[in-house]
Amino acid sequence: MSDWLVTEGSRPRRPRPLSPFREHLRDTFWFAPTAAMAGVLVVWLVAQELDAALVRSLREHGDYETLSELLRFADDAKSVVSAVGSAMMTFIGVVFSISLVAVQMASGQFTPRVVRLFVRSRITKATFAVFLATFVLTLLVLTSYDSSTDPRVVTSVPLVQSVLTLVMVALSLLLFVMYVNTTLRLMRIGHVIARIAAESFRVAAAMPVPADGAGVPALGPVTAWVAHDGTAGVLRDVHVARLVRAARKHGVVLRLIPRTGDFVVPGTPVLAVHGGQAPPRRALRYALSVGVERTFHQDLGFGLRQLSDIALRALSPAVNDPTTAVQALDRVVQLLAALCRRPLDTVAHRDRRGAVRLVQAVPGWAELVDLGFAEVRGCAAGSPQVSRRMLAGLDDLERLAPPERREPLRRHRELVRQAVERTAPSPADRAFALRPDRQGIG
């Protein structure tokens, strides 16, 4: 029976580590269509057996009149099945073309990081899967038609198969409408930004909240190091429960050196051991998941990184879209407002007895503020709409943040003022650009 994890100030909960295999499947397009085609083959075999059983039953009872009616219905349905088979390939080409155009537009106008929203879209994969499954089903149904039209010698009347094909066609049309609607939504920057913010809030909600007054205890000197022996890549996930079990079993405290989202290289230390010998390699196997790109799973700063990228792309001379930058800043302010009173910097995970077993670093408040504002601020001096929205956001955050967290906000406010004064040609322009406005210019 696996251990339960107790985090500071939270109720016992079972950790949900990121599955590398599941993530690989979600990042690919081959699995869903392949599974759908394999599934439709099984369904077709069942339907074929039902049709054969129906024909046998009618022949045993001598009901050749009903069998003749079924033959005429199947013959009429054959032309529909043939038309569906040829039309499905056209539909598949349309869906594929729409996806390519949407991905290209999103990558060029927003940021390459948002392409993962399209790649991982369930409705896109479901549409491809159902279209391919319908096409395969039509080919299989066409092979089930008997060349004979005599009800006394016919062995197969694809009645159930034809009805199943019509059901698949109706499902395909429904999914196509949903696919077009979802793709159009993902091509609108407001929905993309909202999706990024929603994912970021899920990460923040999953962070353990320490009890009042509880902090990370003194760990003492480092007694051993654990180096990364896997492939180079981005740290995407930490299997907290596995590390806590290993630390409890060997009576040590583990401290994770890289943060989620850091790039790790084989041979570099990833865990510091305090209070004893390092657990054996087999106890730490699969405790850290490394991939080729960052994910939202445990990465608190990834959402702010994407929002900052979108704002920077919008403020570039090639795009010149300050309204999009303001929309990104809206969500930056929203995320920082939700985190301004949360404990940051480090997270301590405890075992069932309440002893700290794993210390994990997370971004601090000043780092999150810099991530959300620093780069955008450098490009906002020439855009009054963005500078006004940024100043309004900083003012709102300063009202919400506790006194010890207001210094980074004041620093960015002063830097915005200095940048505008260097750029604006006249006192009137400077005064206009430095007037806080939650809508930018409205």
Side-chain angles (χ1 to χ4, degrees), residues 355-423:
V356 173
R357 293 301 180 185
L358 175 65
V359 176
Q360 183 180 2
V362 296
W365 172 249
E367 295 173 286
L368 293 175
V369 172
D370 290 340
L371 180 57
F373 291 115
E375 293 175 299
V376 181
R377 189 197 69 239
C379 300
S383 175
Q385 184 178 359
V386 179
S387 63
R388 287 160 64 100
R389 178 62 186 99
M390 185 175 293
L391 290 172
L394 290 169
D395 289 345
D396 291 338
L397 290 173
E398 189 171 350
R399 297 186 189 98
L400 295 173
E404 64 273 13
R405 289 189 172 180
R406 293 174 182 172
E407 190 279 330
L409 303 171
R410 293 168 180 168
R411 173 167 51 86
H412 280 283
R413 199 182 198 290
E414 177 62 21
L415 291 173
V416 171
R417 185 189 64 80
Q418 294 177 9
V420 170
E421 288 182 349
R422 289 193 302 266
T423 306

Side-chain angles (χ1 to χ4, degrees), residues 46-323:
V46 175
Q48 187 182 46
E49 182 59 31
L50 291 175
D51 285 330
L54 177 62
V55 171
R56 289 195 300 267
S57 177
L58 292 175
R59 292 178 62 181
E60 289 173 359
H61 291 81
D63 193 354
Y64 295 108
E65 182 178 354
T66 302
L67 192 56
S68 298
E69 293 292 333
L70 294 180
L71 282 172
R72 284 192 291 271
F73 174 81
D75 186 62
D76 294 337
K78 184 177 181 179
S79 59
V80 176
V81 173
S82 300
V84 169
S86 59
M88 275 301 110
M89 291 308 297
T90 303
F91 265 109
I92 293 171
V94 170
V95 171
F96 190 69
S97 300
I98 293 175
S99 298
L100 288 180
V101 172
V103 169
Q104 185 178 12
M105 290 183 61
S107 178
Q109 294 186 4
F110 307 151
T111 170
R113 258 65 63 189
V114 303
V115 173
R116 65 186 302 275
L117 297 178
F118 293 88
V119 175
R120 297 164 69 92
S121 173
R122 290 187 176 91
I123 188 65
T124 301
K125 294 177 182 179
T127 304
F128 272 109
V130 172
F131 279 14
L132 287 173
T134 304
F135 175 71
V136 172
L137 179 62
T138 58
L139 298 182
L140 295 174
V141 172
L142 289 175
T143 63
S144 300
Y145 282 90
D146 201 316
S147 58
S148 174
T149 58
D150 187 354
R152 298 181 181 276
V153 298
V154 70
T155 59
S156 175
V157 179
L159 176 66
V160 177
Q161 300 171 62
S162 300
V163 173
L164 180 61
T165 302
L166 296 178
V167 171
M168 290 294 292
V169 170
L171 180 60
S172 299
L173 294 175
L174 176 62
L175 282 175
F176 181 72
V177 174
M178 296 174 60
Y179 165 77
V180 172
N181 178 68
T182 302
T183 303
L184 290 177
R185 286 171 62 90
L186 288 177
M187 292 173 67
R188 297 165 59 185
I189 186 60
H191 291 285
V192 173
I193 291 176
R195 180 77 65 88
I196 294 171
E199 295 281 358
S200 300
F201 277 113
R202 292 192 189 101
V203 178
M207 290 180 58
V209 180
D212 294 340
V216 179
L219 301 180
V222 176
T223 56
W225 300 92
V226 177
H228 176 57
D229 60 354
T231 59
V234 176
L235 179 60
R236 303 188 306 169
D237 175 74
V238 180
H239 197 321
V240 175
R242 188 183 298 272
L243 292 176
V244 169
R245 285 197 302 266
R248 179 179 58 83
K249 183 177 180 180
H250 294 85
V252 298
V253 178
L254 299 177
R255 177 169 55 86
L256 186 66
I257 298 173
R259 291 192 314 214
T260 305
D262 288 355
F263 191 87
V264 294
V265 179
T268 57
V270 290
L271 289 170
V273 183
H274 299 264
Q277 298 296 320
R281 288 288 181 181
R282 65 178 181 275
L284 303 177
R285 186 176 302 170
Y286 308 123
L288 304 180
S289 174
V290 175
V292 296
E293 62 181 355
R294 298 169 69 174
T295 68
F296 273 109
H297 186 62
Q298 294 180 354
D299 197 340
L300 184 61
F302 189 43
L304 289 173
R305 175 69 274 162
Q306 292 188 76
L307 293 173
S308 180
D309 287 346
I310 291 174
L312 288 172
R313 183 68 62 90
L315 293 175
S316 65
V319 179
N320 193 21
D321 183 12
T323 302

